């Protein structure tokens, strides 16, 4: 693609924006407007990098006082598996937290454990808008099992807070990609429109070159992921066709419509390994 910025960028706008303390504080204030006394110094970003790297979800985790706040951004494709991802991420985050604080989990002293708050920031256009996503509801029929995890799903902020601005930014971005494709023009137009509409304006003006690089690198990641998915689907289709063909040959052998020695001649698509497997399976069934 002409004009594409190359590079192994592992960041995202979501993570890049909230790595900046002033915007992280604005995010916290959007979640907890009642806690007016929180400062930038009271926040600590503890996001674990590269836990999930398929580009579909962006992860953010930080502590604020006695809270441990974990946010996953679900983009255009919704999947209930986000709650499993959150379960794994939360467990690993606590592991890193206790390790970083030299907490002896085998000692008799009760460990200090920050209270978790879990959020999924959904930026797509899914019609069904549930308030929470629950592990037990999605996977165990609502049973009271030994494990449970529940996350609040955020579809927008209030007024023009940082969450509302970010989600509107993603919608502008998606619209420009639909109009211009995965091109630099789509990125430049997204930034121009958002600055004009006062969406993340200060952030975009101060880091425009960096934002362009991140968004262009995302196109690279999406293309790699799309290619991988298409390749996997092709391989799965080939494997399914191969299994069907082998099953057909076994049935023909059982029905006496062909002999073992005729397999290679009648079915040239089969390789030597397939023929050996067919013979073994046929011998087991007769």
């Amino acid at each position: 693609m002409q004009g594409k910025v190359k590079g192994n960028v592992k960041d995202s706008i979501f993570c890049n924006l909230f790595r900046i303390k002033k915007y992280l504080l604005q995010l916290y204030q959007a979640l907890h407007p009642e806690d007016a006394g929180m400062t930038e110094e009271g926040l600590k970003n503890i996001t674990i990098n590269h836990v999930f790297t398929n580009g579909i979800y962006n992860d953010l985790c930080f502590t604020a006082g006695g809270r441990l706040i974990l946010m996953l951004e679900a983009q255009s494709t919704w999947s209930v598996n986000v709650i499993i991802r959150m379960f794994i991420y939360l467990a690993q985050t606590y592991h890193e937290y206790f390790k970083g604080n030299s907490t002896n989990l085998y000692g008799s002293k009760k460990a200090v454990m920050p209270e978790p708050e879990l959020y999924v920031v959904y930026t797509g256009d899914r019609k069904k808008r549930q308030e929470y996503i629950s592990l037990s509801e999605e996977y165990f029929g609502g049973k009271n099992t030994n494990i449970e995890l529940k996350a609040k799903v955020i579809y927008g902020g209030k007024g023009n807070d940082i969450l509302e601005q970010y989600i509107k930014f993603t919608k502008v971005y998606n619209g420009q990609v639909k109009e211009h494709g995965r091109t630099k023009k789509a990125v430049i137009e997204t930034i121009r429109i958002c600055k004009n509409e006062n969406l993340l304006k200060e952030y975009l003006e101060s880091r425009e070159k960096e934002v362009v690089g991140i968004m262009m690198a995302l196109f690279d990641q999406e293309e790699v992921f799309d290619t991988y998915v298409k390749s996997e689907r092709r391989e799965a289709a080939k494997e399914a066709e191969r299994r069907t063909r082998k099953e057909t040959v076994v049935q023909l052998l059982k029905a006496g419509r062909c002999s073992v020695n005729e397999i290679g001649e009648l079915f040239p698509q089969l390789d030597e390994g397939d023929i050996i497997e067919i013979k073994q399976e046929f011998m087991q069934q007769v």
Side-chain angles (χ1 to χ4, degrees), residues 145-179:
T145 64
N146 289 331
I147 58 171
E148 172 61 309
L149 205 69
K150 187 165 73 171
K152 181 176 177 60
V153 185
I154 296 175
Y155 303 94
K158 296 180 180 179
N160 198 39
D161 66 21
I162 194 76
L163 270 172
E164 181 70 11
Q165 289 184 51
Y166 177 76
I167 291 172
K168 285 182 177 178
F169 166 85
T170 65
K171 294 185 184 301
V172 171
Y173 167 72
N174 291 336
Q176 291 304 304
V177 170
K178 285 181 181 178
E179 184 173 348

Side-chain angles (χ1 to χ4, degrees), residues 105-282:
L105 297 179
Y106 298 95
S108 59
K109 184 180 179 180
K110 188 176 182 179
V112 176
M113 184 174 186
E115 179 182 349
E117 288 185 15
L118 310 177
Y119 300 92
V120 175
V121 181
Y122 181 60
T123 59
D125 296 320
R126 186 168 179 254
K127 291 181 179 179
K128 183 181 178 181
R129 295 201 162 198
Q130 62 206 85
E131 185 177 3
Y132 291 93
I133 181 170
S134 161
L135 189 66
S136 63
E137 289 291 336
E138 297 293 347
Y139 292 93
F140 308 121
K143 294 179 182 177
N144 183 19
T145 64
N146 289 331
I147 58 171
E148 172 61 309
L149 205 69
K150 187 165 73 171
K152 181 176 177 60
V153 185
I154 296 175
Y155 303 94
K158 296 180 180 179
N160 198 39
D161 66 21
I162 194 76
L163 270 172
E164 181 70 11
Q165 289 184 51
Y166 177 76
I167 291 172
K168 285 182 177 178
F169 166 85
T170 65
K171 294 185 184 301
V172 171
Y173 167 72
N174 291 336
Q176 291 304 304
V177 170
K178 285 181 181 178
E179 184 173 348
H180 302 293
R182 293 173 177 174
T183 64
K184 193 169 185 177
K185 184 174 182 180
V187 174
I188 298 300
E189 282 298 293
T190 296
I191 294 173
R192 181 188 65 79
I193 293 168
C194 288
K195 288 195 296 186
N196 288 342
E197 296 183 4
N198 198 29
L199 302 174
L200 307 179
K201 183 177 180 179
E202 182 186 51
Y203 166 73
L204 293 174
E205 287 181 338
S206 64
R207 294 175 174 247
E208 184 163 338
K209 185 176 180 180
E210 183 178 1
V211 169
V212 170
I214 291 170
M215 294 173 74
M216 293 301 294
L218 176 62
F219 291 152
D220 284 341
Q221 293 173 2
E222 287 175 343
E223 286 187 356
V224 169
F225 184 68
D226 287 348
T227 301
Y228 169 77
V229 170
K230 289 175 183 177
S231 175
E232 288 292 298
R233 287 174 178 170
R234 284 195 298 270
E235 289 302 315
K238 288 181 181 178
E239 179 59 26
E241 183 181 354
R242 176 172 167 266
R243 285 198 303 270
T244 300
R245 187 179 293 118
K246 288 166 61 178
E247 290 170 1
T248 299
V249 175
V250 171
Q251 293 303 315
L252 290 173
L253 289 170
K254 289 172 65 176
R257 297 177 62 182
C258 75
S259 68
V260 170
N261 294 330
E262 293 176 315
I263 295 174
E265 181 180 348
L266 295 175
F267 300 93
Q269 308 96 322
L270 297 172
D271 60 30
E272 187 176 347
D274 291 333
I275 295 174
I276 292 173
E277 289 179 11
I278 289 170
K279 290 179 178 179
Q280 291 174 342
E281 185 173 344
F282 174 62

Side-chain angles (χ1 to χ4, degrees), residues 21-31 162 165 202:
K21 277 290 185 73
K22 65 185 297 184
Y23 301 122
L24 186 62
L25 179 59
Q26 290 178 35
L27 172 62
Y28 177 77
Q29 291 169 336
L31 299 172
I162 194 76
Q165 289 184 51
E202 182 186 51

Side-chain angles (χ1 to χ4, degrees), residues 41-54:
E41 290 70 30
L43 304 175
K44 183 179 180 182
N45 191 326
I46 58 171
T47 301
I48 303 174
N49 294 324
H50 315 317
V51 175
F52 303 115
T53 57
N54 64 6

